[in-house]
Amino acid sequence: MNSGDIVVGVDESPESRWAVLWAVREARLRSATLTLVHVRSSMSDGRVAGDDTENDAETLLTVRAAEASELEPGMTITPRLYESGSISEQLIELSGAAALLVLGVASARPRADHGLLGPVEDRVVVHAHCPVVTVNGPGPIVGQGYDKIVLGWTEGATGRRALEAAADEAALRGSLLSVVTVSPTAGYAPAVSSEQESVEQALIDSIRRIESTHPGLPIDVTHRSGDVVAELEQSLDRAALLVLGAHHSEQSWSIRLGPVAEELMRLSRCPVMLVGRRSGSGVG
């Protein structure tokens, strides 16, 4: 595996299949290779583990690779089967040598079903060494009317990294970058307090940096107020991707992803890119 790989976690779920099909289109767009990973584990950490035979796992990988190859002929697709004590830990390790890690997320599965360690996707996002994209349904197809990348703006280092990632995605696609700020209170007015002025100035400064690194990239900014999740959901018409900053932790037990990211990666009508750290970057 090399740093240009897109890695997809593969299991038997329909969401995993959708993740593979989304990822192979992305691999074509990025001129990247695609690695399909299935982890057989003796520890249940959010997936049914340890009850598939090696032949079953290899068959699953073969089928998913064939489906991806049929959708995007000529792509380099590598299926890999791993044995590990923990599915999430293996995926986190693999994220260290990946440009992007893609996971299917079952939005209807109760969190109580994931066991004491919590959902695989939550743990992976919090600890991954690269951005993680979650897919919960058939994703928008690049070039078919989905013409913008939406960023849910937050202040701080993680927010700036998410903005940089969103700008890269928009530039890659030749799309509009739509930056959305959401105030949780009604009647948002950016200049009514020194704190709001500071937040607004941070956003302006960050966008200026993006304009210098991506000259000519179309960018718009929308200020909304109300429930953050609901307002971001309403911003996703024609969106190919929603980009959010995500909490990152060096504490191995942590799955504190953040309520907005946790909810939107399960409810969003388009794939969600969660940026805790950029590939090769330091601690988030």
Side-chain angles (χ1 to χ4, degrees), residues 17-18 32 46 118 123 148-149 161 185 197 224 267:
R17 178 175 181 271
W18 292 328
R123 182 172 294 278
K148 68 180 181 180
I149 303 298
R161 283 195 290 272
T185 57
E197 287 180 353
R224 304 175 72 103
L267 298 178

Side-chain angles (χ1 to χ4, degrees), residues 1-2 4-13 15-28 32-40 56-72 75-83 87 90-91 94-95 97-98 100-104 135:
M1 187 184 304
N2 62 60
D5 277 345
I6 295 177
V7 177
V8 188
V10 174
D11 61 22
E12 299 83 359
S13 68
E15 292 83 8
S16 171
R17 178 175 181 271
W18 292 328
V20 170
L21 298 180
W22 182 85
V24 73
R25 293 190 182 104
E26 290 296 304
R28 171 72 71 185
T33 58
L34 183 66
T35 301
L36 307 185
V37 170
H38 180 74
V39 183
R40 297 182 70 244
D56 290 341
E58 289 176 347
T59 298
L60 174 65
L61 285 167
T62 298
V63 169
R64 293 289 179 262
E67 291 172 337
S69 184
E70 182 178 1
L71 185 63
E72 292 288 350
M75 291 298 302
T76 300
I77 301 171
T78 305
R80 291 190 174 181
L81 175 61
Y82 289 86
E83 301 278 350
I87 296 170
Q90 181 65 65
L91 291 171
L94 293 172
S95 74
L100 200 64
L101 179 62
V102 184
L103 300 174
V135 180

Side-chain angles (χ1 to χ4, degrees), residues 3 95-99 125-131 157-158 160-162 164-165 246 248 250 274-284:
S3 60
S95 74
V125 170
V126 169
H127 298 284
H129 303 283
C130 69
T158 299
R160 289 193 296 273
R161 283 195 290 272
E164 291 166 1
H248 175 81
E250 295 296 316
L274 297 141
V275 183
R277 294 195 289 191
R278 303 295 301 275
S279 298
S281 69
V283 174

Side-chain angles (χ1 to χ4, degrees), residues 79-156:
R80 291 190 174 181
L81 175 61
Y82 289 86
E83 301 278 350
S84 175
S86 166
I87 296 170
S88 57
E89 289 302 322
Q90 181 65 65
L91 291 171
I92 291 164
E93 181 180 341
L94 293 172
S95 74
L100 200 64
L101 179 62
V102 184
L103 300 174
V105 174
S107 58
R109 185 178 178 188
R111 292 181 64 80
D113 286 359
H114 291 273
L116 292 176
L117 294 178
V120 163
E121 55 270 15
D122 287 24
R123 182 172 294 278
V124 171
V125 170
V126 169
H127 298 284
H129 303 283
C130 69
V132 178
V133 173
T134 59
V135 180
N136 64 26
I141 299 173
V142 173
Q144 294 193 5
Y146 297 92
D147 57 4
K148 68 180 181 180
I149 303 298
V150 175
L151 170 76
W153 163 255
T154 54
E155 191 183 9

Side-chain angles (χ1 to χ4, degrees), residues 232-249:
L232 286 174
E233 278 191 287
Q234 291 178 24
S235 303
L236 297 180
D237 184 43
R238 300 177 66 87
L241 190 69
L242 170 63
V243 182
L244 299 172
H247 177 75
H248 175 81
S249 177

